[in-house]
Amino acid sequence: MPHDRRSGKSVRVLLAEDQGMSGPLALLLGMEEDMDVVAQVAAGDAVVDSALVTRPDVAVLDVELPGLSGLDAAALLRDEVPGCRVLIMTTFARPGALRRALEAGAAGFLVKDAPVAELADAIRRVLRGETVVDPALAAAESGTTGASGAPGAAGTSGMPGAAATLGAAGAPGTEPSPPAPRERDGRGRT
């Protein structure tokens, strides 16, 4: 569900990251005119409690956190703070991680080393109701290369590292396909 905001209001962001990057990331996001980092936590167990107190619009969660994982914390946020959109960040593309993130209620899945401008853009996009996925992560999920224009990278802006928006079927850059026809036996049954 997209979050409805009046223009001019800052996007409230919660950061959950345990590798010492939260401080610098908070500083850089805080330099964005429309962003306000309202909480920083270093463990998955602290995400929901912090979100209940600070009421962020978007939570940016590291997939690997001590205590609860970012995916588990995302699922709890979906239930406990339903107005908060979630972006999951990861260092490595692992098969199945994108699917698990979406199942947990995440609206985005990005690589950690993306430029802050891309993260800020992704935060704005998920707040508008979009689902944003880094093309390299989408390609890893589908087993294809992440090069621009390659299969699995459809829907990107053509820039390496640019986030793709998911197609209607929930798979990166794909459209729903009709079910395969079922064969009939000699008596007209399937």
Side-chain angles (χ1 to χ4, degrees):
M1 161 184 263
H3 189 275
D4 191 21
R5 317 184 285 117
R6 283 184 242 131
S7 63
K9 181 180 172 190
S10 289
V11 178
R12 297 172 57 80
V13 179
L14 177 148
L15 292 176
E17 207 278 333
D18 74 325
Q19 296 179 357
M21 294 302 299
S22 183
L25 188 55
L27 181 64
L28 291 169
L29 283 175
M31 295 173 79
E32 297 286 323
E33 288 181 11
D34 60 342
M35 305 249 167
D36 184 22
V37 177
V38 296
Q40 298 176 57
V41 299
D45 307 74
V47 170
V48 172
D49 288 342
S50 182
L52 287 168
V53 171
T54 61
R55 294 294 178 185
D57 299 307
V58 178
V60 179
L61 310 178
D62 188 342
V63 74
E64 306 249 348
L65 290 169
L68 289 176
S69 74
L71 299 176
D72 291 335
L76 288 174
L77 276 174
R78 177 190 60 215
D79 298 336
E80 300 291 325
V81 190
C84 180
R85 305 282 287 167
V86 175
L87 278 168
I88 299 288
M89 293 190 316
T90 186
T91 304
F92 305 106
R94 291 189 176 100
L98 171 59
R99 178 188 50 78
R100 288 190 306 278
L102 295 174
E103 287 172 353
F109 198 61
L110 305 173
V111 291
K112 279 182 160 185
D113 61 356
V116 172
E118 284 184 24
L119 175 59
D121 181 57
I123 290 169
R124 293 179 190 104
R125 290 171 63 191
V126 299
L127 197 57
R128 291 192 304 258
E130 295 178 43
T131 300
V132 181
V133 178
D134 183 279
L137 298 173
E141 187 76 12
S142 64
T144 62
T145 64
S148 180
T156 68
S157 66
M159 299 182 330
T165 302
L166 289 186
T174 63
E175 295 299 321
S177 50
R182 295 170 47 186
E183 293 193 29
R184 296 181 178 264
D185 65 12
R187 291 173 257 169
R189 292 182 288 183
T190 54

